[in-house]
Amino acid sequence: MSTPLGNRKNIVLLGRRNSGKSSIFNLLIDQDKSIVADYLGTTTDPVYHMMELLPYGPVKIVDTAGIDDEGLVGQKRVDKTRLEIEDADLLVYVIDANDFCSEDIYLEDGSMVAKPTVYIVNKCHDSIDRDHIKSKIESYIEKYKQVKEDNEKNNKNEKNSSKEGASKEGPSIVFTDLVSSRQESRKLIIESLVDILSSLEPDRGLIDGLIRPGDKALLVVPIDSEAPKGRLILPQVQVIRECLDMGVMVSLVRDLELKRALEEMGHIDLVITDSQVFKEVASLVNESIDLTSFSILFARQKGDIDHLVRGARHIEKLRDGDRILIAESCSHTSNHEDIGTVKIPNLIRNKTGKDIEFDFSHGKDFKRDLSKYSLIIQCGGCMLTRSNMMVRINRARMAGVPITNYGVALAYLTGALDRVVY
Ligand code: SF4
């Protein structure tokens, strides 16, 4: 199985039209995947490529349409590029050395300034004054920092887990001329990307802090009509793999065999269950055994779990006419479908007795205007990176809307939240 999307760092190329993004993208992936031409706006929709960026590891590289695209359709492309930028762990900002213009780029809201960035000054032939361009980039970064500071003053609670792209030694700038030095340019760019990626805080393991090597974990996996044929789903596979990596003795049962397994297996340290059967599992598992769910493990790895727990407790404050956004991060005929569209709405209506409205979003379509919602319930986000998830949590924070996720909401709605470990 290839590395899941949620475990790959997102590297997003951006820049003005015709700055050479697609040439850099093709150079990085060592293929001609993105169309390259000498006229403006060649790349319309984002182009994705999964690769191992050695010696760092698995990444997703995204080529985007020009950030300065124009017209009605151009604006739609820019909107798509912005979504990619929002999801990025690392930006690669491609600049045409012959046409550097820092004034017309995406500065207005400052929302992208916290991302680590490698600046690639492309088409950089011998007569280019590199020092001049370097000082222009530095002043551009200063301007960014000011916008960022102003934003943070306005949003005092906003936290961002990303480190600054411009380190104390100065911004990471690579001067390239693909005409005269393709392989040398590739080497320099990859070294810069690896440098910054390696300096980012590593993601916390799914089960870190909940269990120790040599402990026993029991996983509860319902195999019903919703379960995919012949395989386990990604969150289950990842938890099993982490247990094995850590030297945890891991066993698996269906919910139907749980009672017997608990009787026969002796001491168990941690039970991890699918959220769908939380209530049934909680009623069988003795209070002396730690209990959690796959969805809660992802919530603590990828998001701010305390904030998500506070979000779930907001359910008791809902009133008639309130609107909830249910956000699933991939569009699929999924085994989660009934959790988001049917089970959680029904449980909330039953628990609160209120007349609540629900909206649904899928994939990257996390609504732009969150202010009309009283609560956001995000799926487990197994396809999302931690930074994708934190963007969503921070956007909810900035809009003043509580946010929780499926697993935490289900634990709250079934009365199990006070006994789960996270
Ligand atoms: S909807 Fe969310 S939790 Fe379900 S598979 Fe997609 S990303 Fe993972």
Side-chain angles (χ1 to χ4, degrees):
M1 184 187 280
S2 67
T3 306
L5 278 179
N7 290 9
R8 291 176 180 272
K9 293 291 181 202
N10 280 345
I11 301 177
V12 176
L13 277 78
L14 75 151
R16 297 169 72 207
R17 286 171 296 168
N18 217 14
S19 57
K21 297 182 296 301
S22 299
S23 301
I24 300 289
F25 176 83
N26 288 340
L27 180 77
L28 276 172
I29 69 171
D30 223 1
Q31 296 174 25
D32 283 340
K33 189 166 183 173
S34 236
I35 298 168
V36 177
D38 274 341
Y39 52 84
L40 296 181
T42 318
T43 305
T44 52
D45 282 322
V47 181
Y48 305 94
H49 186 83
M50 312 299 153
M51 67 181 278
E52 286 288 317
L53 189 73
L54 296 173
Y56 175 73
V59 296
K60 178 174 91 175
I61 301 195
V62 187
D63 188 15
T64 61
I67 199 78
D68 60 340
D69 213 337
E70 293 168 337
L72 211 59
V73 180
Q75 193 48 52
K76 287 193 170 151
R77 291 177 192 148
V78 172
D79 289 344
K80 282 191 177 176
T81 298
R82 283 172 184 275
L83 288 177
E84 296 300 336
I85 292 169
E86 213 171 66
D87 273 354
D89 295 290
L90 171 57
L91 297 175
V92 176
Y93 190 174
V94 183
I95 294 160
D96 183 339
N98 305 284
D99 187 24
F100 180 45
C101 174
S102 63
E103 300 310 318
D104 59 353
I105 320 177
Y106 55 97
L107 196 56
E108 74 277 14
D109 64 1
S111 59
M112 299 143 196
V113 299
K115 303 277 181 185
T117 305
V118 172
Y119 298 84
I120 297 186
V121 184
N122 191 25
K123 308 178 191 177
C124 202
H125 47 77
D126 289 346
S127 61
I128 292 286
D129 182 347
R130 297 180 181 208
D131 288 340
H132 175 66
I133 291 182
K134 187 166 176 275
S135 74
K136 279 178 99 172
I137 292 174
E138 281 165 352
S139 66
Y140 167 64
I141 291 169
E142 279 310 311
K143 198 169 168 185
Y144 256 22
K145 276 189 182 158
Q146 191 54 52
V147 174
K148 183 174 178 240
E149 277 167 26
D150 292 348
N151 270 7
E152 281 177 353
K153 268 182 217 149
N154 293 336
N155 303 290
K156 289 197 178 67
N157 291 329
E158 187 184 0
K159 290 179 195 162
N160 200 306
S161 61
S162 300
K163 288 187 182 176
E164 271 289 355
S167 66
K168 285 194 188 76
E169 299 85 48
S172 177
I173 305 175
V174 182
F175 294 92
T176 61
D177 180 7
L178 304 194
V179 179
S180 62
S181 63
R182 257 185 98 72
Q183 283 318 314
E184 182 59 18
S185 295
R186 184 169 193 267
K187 186 168 164 273
L188 287 174
I189 295 169
I190 288 179
E191 275 172 10
S192 299
L193 300 183
V194 168
D195 256 12
I196 293 191
L197 288 172
S198 307
S199 73
L200 299 178
E201 227 171 85
D203 284 351
R204 171 192 209 180
L206 284 165
I207 51 173
D208 281 3
L210 294 181
I211 198 158
R212 290 167 304 187
D215 282 355
K216 278 164 89 176
L218 178 60
L219 277 46
V220 185
V221 177
I223 303 291
D224 52 19
S225 58
E226 300 284 330
K229 242 185 165 35
R231 64 177 173 87
L232 297 173
I233 60 171
L234 191 58
Q236 296 156 356
V237 174
Q238 284 184 248
V239 170
I240 293 170
R241 175 60 203 253
E242 281 204 20
C243 285
L244 296 176
D245 283 343
M246 199 191 258
V248 167
M249 288 186 278
V250 58
S251 310
L252 228 75
V253 283
R254 298 186 301 178
D255 49 327
L256 303 176
E257 282 75 45
L258 175 62
K259 190 165 182 290
R260 202 175 128 214
L262 290 167
E263 287 162 5
E264 293 182 5
M265 282 180 60
H267 178 77
I268 292 167
D269 298 285
L270 177 65
V271 172
I272 304 170
T273 181
D274 188 286
S275 302
Q276 287 194 70
V277 288
F278 219 123
K279 193 174 179 182
E280 298 81 346
V281 172
S283 70
L284 289 173
V285 175
N286 191 294
E287 298 256 343
S288 63
I289 302 174
D290 285 345
L291 170 67
T292 192
S293 73
F294 294 103
S295 196
I296 284 176
L297 294 183
F298 275 89
R300 70 194 280 280
Q301 183 191 48
K302 299 190 178 203
D304 178 344
I305 182 72
D306 294 325
H307 191 70
L308 298 175
V309 168
R310 282 196 292 279
R313 297 198 194 281
H314 189 79
I315 291 172
E316 68 188 16
K317 298 185 189 141
L318 292 171
R319 293 174 302 189
D320 283 329
D322 278 353
R323 189 171 280 276
I324 294 178
L325 174 65
I326 305 250
E328 296 206 327
S329 296
C330 63
S331 330
H332 54 149
T333 50
S334 108
N335 59 333
H336 296 311
E337 197 162 87
D338 85 299
I339 299 184
T341 57
V342 182
K343 191 167 181 172
I344 288 180
N346 285 345
L347 281 167
I348 289 178
R349 287 191 183 108
N350 290 341
K351 176 116 182 158
T352 61
K354 305 292 182 197
D355 185 13
I356 313 275
E357 304 282 333
F358 290 87
D359 285 351
F360 302 92
S361 72
H362 299 278
K364 286 187 183 291
D365 171 35
F366 190 62
K367 307 280 184 204
R368 300 314 295 174
D369 178 15
L370 298 175
S371 59
K372 63 182 172 184
Y373 296 107
S374 303
L375 178 65
I376 298 164
I377 306 180
Q378 166 69 44
C379 74
C382 64
M383 304 288 208
L384 297 183
T385 63
R386 179 173 164 81
S387 72
N388 300 159
M389 189 63 93
M390 288 308 295
V391 165
R392 290 182 172 216
I393 291 174
N394 283 333
R395 277 199 49 215
R397 264 196 187 114
M398 287 167 81
V401 182
I403 182 168
T404 187
N405 89 333
Y406 281 11
V408 182
L410 282 169
Y412 173 79
L413 289 164
T414 55
L417 186 57
D418 288 328
R419 70 155 300 192
V420 296
V421 291
Y422 52 84

